[in-house]
Amino acid sequence: MKSVLITGANRSIGLEITKQLSKQGLFVYLGSRDLEKGKEIVKQLNKEGFQNIKAIQIDVTNSDSIFEAKKIVESEQGKLDILINNAGISGGQFPQTASDTSVKDIKNVFETNFFGVINVTQIFLELLKKSDSPRISNITSGLGSLTLHSDPSWKYYDFKSAAYGTSKSALNAYTIVLAYELKDLSFKVNAIDPGYTATDFNHHSGPGTVESAASFIIKHTLTDENGPTGQFFSNDIEDETGVSPW
């Protein structure tokens, strides 16, 4: 049974990924900053028929928390097959203008969306290397695409964000570097944008569903040995490839 750790999995897209992967027979570590809240969610999922799910406390901004989570996974599995870096924050109110958004607010968003991903990835890399087919999916956003943000015809061209969008651009850049470093191993490392999805994150304003978002992420995570690495996929790209410009 393959194992997967999903950060920020106690609600919205992360929770739906948990459900779908559980149905597909994976052992899922449901990452939650609040362990008790995570346990309650797992109890409810068990009642609904979902199995092989365990709540695990992990705060991506706290190294001690990440190391403790690693110890649990290592003691129970001996390895980790899939890491889905899903935890993220928006940075609060929009718009986030380049001239007025405080450095403090930008740093706060980067702490979770960028540095948090790096911290979790580096700490769990040892366990991922023990897998026969390790996968790392960094959940990003189309708002992190510099190419699209430079195109006035893009439907989200006017939605600029000095904290959130830039944190995702940085995450995309890190994904490229990480994928290159691991390219000669069996890793597949990709940035995946679930698309503009109706969640608590955006006050349910997005047109997409969590079911579609989770399915898209899983499609580009559970790839075979010939699958791509170092790519940027987006559920908002309207062609069969789903490949987004960086």
Side-chain angles (χ1 to χ4, degrees):
M1 182 181 292
K2 288 188 175 182
S3 59
V4 53
L5 168 63
I6 308 168
T7 63
N10 58 294
R11 63 177 183 171
S12 300
I13 296 174
L15 180 56
E16 182 61 27
I17 297 171
T18 298
K19 292 179 180 180
Q20 293 189 23
L21 288 180
S22 170
K23 285 184 177 179
Q24 293 188 37
L26 280 74
F27 188 95
V28 183
Y29 285 99
L30 182 152
S32 176
R33 285 185 299 175
D34 186 325
L35 182 57
E36 293 307 312
K37 182 182 293 185
K39 287 181 177 179
E40 285 301 315
I41 291 171
V42 172
K43 284 182 182 179
Q44 183 59 42
L45 291 175
N46 290 161
K47 290 179 182 179
E48 296 173 6
F50 296 97
Q51 301 297 320
N52 301 315
I53 304 172
K54 179 173 181 174
I56 190 168
Q57 185 173 30
I58 184 166
D59 179 347
V60 304
T61 66
N62 185 307
S63 294
D64 291 340
S65 167
I66 302 169
F67 275 115
E68 286 302 314
K70 180 200 171 188
K71 288 179 183 178
I72 293 172
V73 175
E74 186 170 25
S75 65
E76 295 180 352
Q77 305 290 335
K79 63 180 175 65
L80 180 66
D81 296 292
I82 301 166
L83 171 61
I84 300 181
N85 286 307
N86 172 70
I89 60 174
S90 66
Q93 297 296 317
F94 290 92
Q96 297 172 350
T97 61
S99 58
D100 293 332
T101 305
S102 72
V103 171
K104 179 181 178 181
D105 287 344
I106 294 174
K107 284 183 176 180
N108 186 50
V109 173
F110 267 71
E111 195 64 36
T112 296
N113 295 3
F114 181 59
F115 296 113
V117 171
I118 296 173
N119 212 7
V120 173
T121 300
Q122 291 183 346
I123 289 173
F124 274 91
L125 203 55
E126 176 188 356
L127 297 186
L128 286 160
K129 286 181 177 179
K130 295 179 180 180
S131 171
D132 293 331
S133 54
R135 301 288 183 266
I136 300 175
S137 293
N138 293 331
I139 308 309
T140 186
S141 169
L143 297 177
S145 171
L146 300 180
T147 299
L148 292 177
H149 265 306
S150 301
D151 180 3
S153 68
W154 185 44
K155 59 183 175 180
Y156 300 124
Y157 175 74
D158 291 323
F159 197 85
K160 302 288 194 279
S161 51
Y164 179 74
T166 56
S167 74
K168 293 301 187 179
S169 297
L171 176 60
N172 289 352
Y174 176 74
T175 302
I176 292 173
V177 176
L178 180 65
Y180 177 82
E181 179 179 337
L182 300 173
K183 65 183 175 61
D184 295 327
L185 303 177
S186 53
F187 278 82
K188 304 298 179 184
V189 182
N190 293 294
I192 308 175
D193 165 31
Y196 190 13
T197 306
T199 65
D200 295 341
F201 194 83
N202 54 36
H203 306 292
H204 295 270
S205 63
T209 66
V210 291
E211 290 81 7
S212 171
S215 294
F216 186 82
I217 290 168
I218 291 170
K219 172 185 176 181
H220 292 289
T221 298
L222 300 185
T223 55
D224 62 25
E225 62 182 8
N226 298 314
T229 190
Q231 293 295 314
F232 178 11
F233 298 100
S234 174
N235 207 14
D236 281 335
I237 297 298
E238 297 174 356
D239 66 40
E240 61 182 17
T241 70
V243 175
S244 174
W246 297 100

